[in-house]
């Protein structure tokens, strides 16, 4: 290690014709390193309303909550840096487990989003890795819906988790 360090000093010494010297005539070697960092604020995801299901009708085989126009859709607000692009990712299919039993249901999620708080003009968010942008206030509005087949479902309550991942680009 000592020889490596001396080799670097010799290279610096021979590559620069003029060098400063200390009082004893020894060359002074100095280096400067510029370090910078930019801190990106985190993205906050606020759940305003959870998704609810309408009352079932006799013989109904599927429950569908349209994220673009259903009042039963869940509503969330993503808050980040104004006018900054991000990507949104989620698993579209999640298993719901019966609370007091062993049955499961598969729920297929659908999301819609808008840079303004207007559900009816929101657009479906496909999993196509496209860039989305926060508005001037650093907000993006998300509605959560989806569908589940209940044709062979056991009666009872079901629960499950849904995770959305949002990353700056």
């Amino acid at each position: 290690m000592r020889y490596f360090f001396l080799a670097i000093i010799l290279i610096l010494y021979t590559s620069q014709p003029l060098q400063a010297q200390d009082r004893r005539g020894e060359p002074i070697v100095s280096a400067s390193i510029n370090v910078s960092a930019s801190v990106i604020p985190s993205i906050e995801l606020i759940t305003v309303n959870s998704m609810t299901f309408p009352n079932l009708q006799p013989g109904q085989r599927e429950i569908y909550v349209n994220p673009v126009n259903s009042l039963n859709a869940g509503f969330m607000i993503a808050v980040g840096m104004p006018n900054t692009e991000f990507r949104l990712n989620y698993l579209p299919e999640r298993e719901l487990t019966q609370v007091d039993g062993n049955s499961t249901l598969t729920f297929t999620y659908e999301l819609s989003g808008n840079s303004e708080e207007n559900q009816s003009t929101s657009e479906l968010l496909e999993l196509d890795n496209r860039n989305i942008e926060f508005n001037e206030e650093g907000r993006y509005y998300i509605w959560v819906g989806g569908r589940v087949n209940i044709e062979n479902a056991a009666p009872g309550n079901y629960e499950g988790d849904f995770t959305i991942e949002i990353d700056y680009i």
Side-chain angles (χ1 to χ4, degrees), residues 6-19 27 29-30:
L6 285 173
I8 290 177
I9 291 174
L10 285 175
I11 290 171
L12 288 173
Y13 182 73
T14 58
S15 66
Q16 296 186 12
L18 297 175
Q19 286 188 332
V29 178
S30 65

Side-chain angles (χ1 to χ4, degrees), residues 51-159:
M51 182 176 20
T52 58
F53 295 111
N55 291 329
L56 297 177
Q57 303 301 317
Q60 187 173 352
R61 296 180 179 185
E62 180 181 73
I63 298 174
Y64 178 58
V65 176
N66 187 324
V68 175
N69 60 25
S70 175
L71 297 176
N72 294 317
F75 177 51
M76 299 166 34
I77 304 171
V79 181
M81 288 177 44
N83 301 315
T84 304
E85 290 186 337
F86 65 93
R87 286 203 177 137
L88 186 140
N89 195 10
Y90 65 96
L91 292 174
E93 287 191 357
R94 298 298 294 189
E95 191 171 88
L96 305 179
T97 307
Q98 190 178 25
V99 175
D100 294 323
N102 297 326
S103 295
T104 60
L105 296 172
T106 300
F107 192 87
T108 304
Y109 287 93
E110 291 182 4
L111 270 60
S112 69
N114 202 341
S115 58
E116 56 187 54
E117 191 175 347
N118 187 340
Q119 181 181 7
S120 64
T121 61
S122 67
E123 60 181 287
L124 284 176
L125 299 174
E126 304 292 330
L127 291 174
D128 57 2
N129 280 336
R130 72 183 183 113
N131 297 353
I132 303 170
E133 189 173 312
F134 287 110
N135 65 15
E136 298 80 28
E137 289 125 21
R139 293 177 176 262
Y140 190 78
Y141 303 94
I142 302 167
W143 289 269
V144 181
R147 63 181 73 237
V148 61
N149 184 321
I150 58 169
E151 194 170 2
N152 297 316
N157 293 321
Y158 291 80
E159 66 181 8

